[in-house]
Amino acid sequence: MHILGTGLTGLIGSRIVELLSPEIIFTDLSRSSGIDITDTIAVENFVKEKNPDLILHLAAMTNVDGAEKEKDLGEESESWKVNVKGTKNVVNAAENIGKGIMYISTDFIFDGESPQDTGYTEEDTPNPINWYGETKYEGELVVKQARTQWTIIRISSPYRATHEKKDFMRAILSRLESGEEIQGVDDRWITPTYIDDIAEGIKILVQNDATGIYHCVGSTFITPYDVAKEIARVFEKEEMSIKPVSASVFLQNRAKRPFKSILNNAKMKKLGLHPSTFREGLEKIKQQL
Ligand SMILES: NC(=O)c1ccc[n+]([C@@H]2O[C@H](COP(=O)([O-])OP(=O)(O)OC[C@H]3O[C@@H](n4cnc5c(N)ncnc54)[C@H](OP(=O)(O)O)[C@@H]3O)[C@@H](O)[C@H]2O)c1
């Protein structure tokens, strides 16, 4: 099978390639490989030339606070151009060759105000509260209108053992190692997701020829404060430097985050994925380092 992936050089895409090759052959479409997804003609020609069996669309402007700063630019903002216009280009290119598209989306399309402790399901209604979430949700709407087979895979707080871009887990681990103070928000919840499980989830979805929306996330809902404590315990670091802080203080002058970023992964589990708990993900990473 040949998958053309956009953004395969990124935090998540590069691990998908590492884990699923050579069983799956990947071609990358990113600026590093010479194509900008906002360039309609370039994307169309590249996809036609490579003629993959499936398009996996990860490329995005992923800087949440950076996106918020350009919100007033609306459709002229970089985040809109990449996340919405870029997604239109990728969808059109998939339609032109008559192949399916899998779009990687985010928990940030929800407002986090759901009272349910079991988390948002695929049927719940999105309501983004920051500009990044807004552009990713617009991307979902574009994908849903595709005149070709489509799948939306929502992921959340991804982490892995290594990569040049530091995810939240490795950012906390570095601070624990250097003894710097860590401010852990103790009144908001996230769903940390081990990136190797995302790769496995994608493999399962491809094998099942699955369509529709899936929440491919970890099995633990946890506050960032407890995240830091758990990392300290697993990696045997001193917990003294971890201080609780409220989201309203921590996120001052930054983009709003959903209060309860909790996604329900039952639908993915039914397909056979065993998403790691946060503790299990950390233990696996410890083995990989
Ligand atoms: N990281 C998270 O916390 C998180 C959480 C939930 C969902 N997601 C979603 O997961 C996906 C992957 O995220 P990630 O963290 O792996 O991203 P990342 O590390 O920031 O990488 C972004 C990728 O997109 C490519 N890209 C960016 N702008 C592009 C453009 N104009 N044209 C072509 N390629 C472009 C980049 O390559 P070049 O720079 O070479 O172009 C890179 O390969 C995204 O769709 C994101 O919304 C991420």
Side-chain angles (χ1 to χ4, degrees):
M1 174 159 210
H2 174 206
I3 292 183
L4 185 149
T6 70
L8 292 183
T9 54
L11 174 74
I12 297 156
S14 57
R15 187 64 179 151
I16 292 171
V17 173
E18 272 173 32
L19 289 172
L20 302 189
S21 303
E23 206 178 319
I24 294 175
I25 296 159
F26 288 95
T27 300
D28 177 47
L29 185 164
S30 63
R31 287 167 302 187
S32 342
S33 61
I35 312 282
D36 190 315
I37 53 164
T38 62
D39 183 338
T40 310
I41 303 294
V43 172
E44 192 179 323
N45 289 341
F46 189 77
V47 170
K48 204 190 281 174
E49 181 200 327
K50 301 297 175 190
N51 193 26
D53 301 310
L54 178 73
I55 299 183
L56 176 63
H57 176 35
L58 293 119
M61 197 287 204
T62 57
N63 179 343
V64 177
D65 294 317
E68 200 64 20
K69 287 193 188 114
E70 50 168 29
K71 178 180 180 170
D72 290 345
L73 295 174
E75 297 189 12
E76 291 307 311
S77 64
E78 186 65 17
S79 36
W80 184 279
K81 287 185 194 160
V82 177
N83 299 355
V84 186
K85 185 180 177 221
T87 299
K88 272 188 194 145
N89 289 341
V90 175
V91 166
N92 287 344
E95 288 174 345
N96 285 344
I97 59 164
K99 299 291 168 53
I101 175 162
M102 283 190 170
Y103 171 67
I104 303 297
S105 190
T106 167
D107 54 325
F108 277 25
I109 54 116
F110 290 114
D111 59 20
E113 298 299 330
S114 164
Q116 289 171 24
D117 282 337
T118 48
Y120 289 104
T121 71
E122 288 78 355
E123 279 72 46
D124 284 319
T125 309
N127 180 34
I129 55 168
N130 59 39
W131 185 241
Y132 165 76
E134 186 83 38
T135 60
K136 288 296 292 183
Y137 181 48
E138 285 292 330
E140 285 197 7
L141 296 177
V142 168
V143 170
K144 280 173 143 180
Q145 283 159 17
R147 286 174 285 109
T148 190
Q149 183 166 310
W150 61 265
T151 317
I152 293 171
I153 307 166
R154 296 189 186 128
I155 62 168
S156 168
S157 303
Y159 62 96
R160 58 179 283 191
T162 54
H163 189 258
E164 65 200 45
K165 177 175 148 185
K166 254 189 202 166
D167 52 55
F168 74 98
M169 195 286 288
R170 279 176 291 124
I172 292 172
L173 184 55
S174 308
R175 291 180 84 91
L176 285 170
E177 278 163 349
S178 62
E180 282 170 85
E181 183 177 300
I182 295 162
Q183 295 194 321
V185 172
D186 64 354
D187 58 357
R188 88 167 268 264
W189 282 261
I190 61 170
T191 314
T193 308
Y194 180 46
I195 293 179
D196 294 22
D197 290 342
I198 297 175
E200 181 64 19
I202 288 170
K203 186 175 154 186
I204 290 173
L205 291 169
V206 169
Q207 282 169 345
N208 283 278
D209 210 14
T211 57
I213 304 176
Y214 293 85
H215 289 173
C216 189
V217 299
S219 291
T220 304
F221 311 141
I222 188 169
T223 66
Y225 176 73
D226 286 325
V227 156
K229 292 264 184 192
E230 192 75 324
I231 296 169
R233 281 192 286 267
V234 171
F235 289 90
E236 294 159 45
K237 305 291 174 204
E238 183 53 67
E239 292 179 36
M240 292 292 285
S241 61
I242 306 168
K243 310 281 184 234
V245 63
S246 68
S248 59
V249 170
F250 187 77
L251 295 174
Q252 235 169 19
N253 305 320
R254 296 179 63 192
K256 278 191 206 160
R257 266 53 172 188
F259 167 56
K260 276 189 180 172
S261 246
I262 300 180
L263 298 194
N264 183 303
N265 59 17
K267 192 173 171 190
M268 274 308 305
K269 278 185 179 163
K270 253 190 210 158
L271 276 184
L273 184 70
H274 302 287
S276 308
T277 61
F278 188 47
R279 165 68 73 135
E280 287 166 349
L282 293 178
E283 296 285 2
K284 288 174 198 168
I285 282 176
K286 204 175 164 189
Q287 300 301 315
Q288 287 170 351
L289 289 175

